[in-house]
Amino acid sequence: MKLALEQLADNPIIDELVFLPAKSARMISVRACSVMFRKPFIEVVMADGEVFQRHFPRAAFGGHWAEARVILETLTRIELISDFSFNPVADRAELVSRVIACRDECIAEANQMFEQGMYAQFLLQFGEDCNQLSAEVEQRIAEARKRLMR
C-alpha cells in the first residue's frame, strides 16, 4: 500500500522505493547487496524488464535492510533477495504489528476516498504488489476499476 509505505518511509530503503518516479509495472524483486569495495545498494527488477539500482551509506545499511524486509514482507508480494549477511530486526513481532496497524489505518483512509467516489485516488493507494488485503478491500478495488472503465 502506497500510503502505508509513505508513512514507513523513515527507513531510507522504503523511502527510495516509495518515491521512485511513478511506474505502471509492478516490482518483481528487490535485491540488497553489500560488498567490500562498493557502496551498498538495492537492485529493483520491474515486471516490464526495467532494472535500476539505488546506493546507500554503508554505516546502517544492514539494519535498514532488515527492517525494510519485514515491512515489504508484510505489505507486498515482492521477492526479496539478500546477497549479504545481516542481523534480523530485534523485535520482529512488534514491527509487524506496527506495520499492520499502519496498513489498517491507511485502508480506512482509502475507503473514505472510495465512499466519496474518488475511485482513481482510491486505486492509487494500492499497487499490484499488495499482500494480504481483505476480501472487502479486494472487492472495492475491483468495483473502483469497473467504475473507472465506464
Side-chain angles (χ1 to χ4, degrees):
M1 278 203 62
K2 184 171 173 65
L3 190 56
L5 288 173
E6 284 177 9
Q7 291 185 10
L8 298 164
D10 55 333
N11 177 297
I13 295 170
I14 299 298
D15 183 58
E16 279 295 323
L17 295 175
V18 169
F19 295 104
L20 290 171
K23 305 281 182 191
S24 58
R26 73 179 193 88
M27 285 184 206
I28 299 293
S29 66
V30 178
R31 178 174 72 99
C33 189
S34 181
V35 294
M36 188 176 298
F37 298 111
R38 230 178 125 179
K39 287 176 84 174
F41 65 92
I42 59 169
E43 180 178 81
V44 178
V45 177
M46 305 298 288
D48 64 4
E50 182 181 3
V51 177
F52 59 87
Q53 292 182 349
R54 295 293 187 268
H55 294 267
F56 298 89
R58 183 171 303 282
F61 184 72
H64 292 307
W65 175 244
E67 183 181 69
R69 277 189 65 91
V70 173
I71 293 167
L72 293 170
E73 286 171 351
T74 304
L75 295 177
T76 74
R77 295 185 303 256
I78 300 168
E79 178 186 7
L80 303 171
I81 304 160
S82 302
D83 282 351
F84 70 105
S85 297
F86 58 93
N87 294 324
V89 172
D91 192 349
R92 180 183 174 87
E94 188 278 326
L95 179 56
V96 168
S97 211
R98 186 168 59 97
V99 170
I100 289 172
C102 180
R103 179 200 65 194
D104 292 346
E105 288 173 17
C106 293
I107 287 173
E109 285 183 41
N111 283 341
Q112 290 175 359
M113 294 175 197
F114 181 88
E115 290 163 7
Q116 296 296 317
M118 300 168 63
Y119 303 118
Q121 293 87 341
F122 172 80
L123 288 174
L124 286 175
Q125 302 311 310
F126 302 94
E128 297 295 322
D129 310 319
C130 287
N131 190 26
Q132 300 177 5
L133 295 175
S134 70
E136 177 187 0
V137 172
E138 294 282 0
Q139 185 177 18
R140 284 180 179 226
I141 290 171
E143 179 65 23
R145 284 182 179 143
K146 190 178 348 176
R147 289 186 184 206
L148 285 174
M149 295 186 82
R150 290 182 190 175

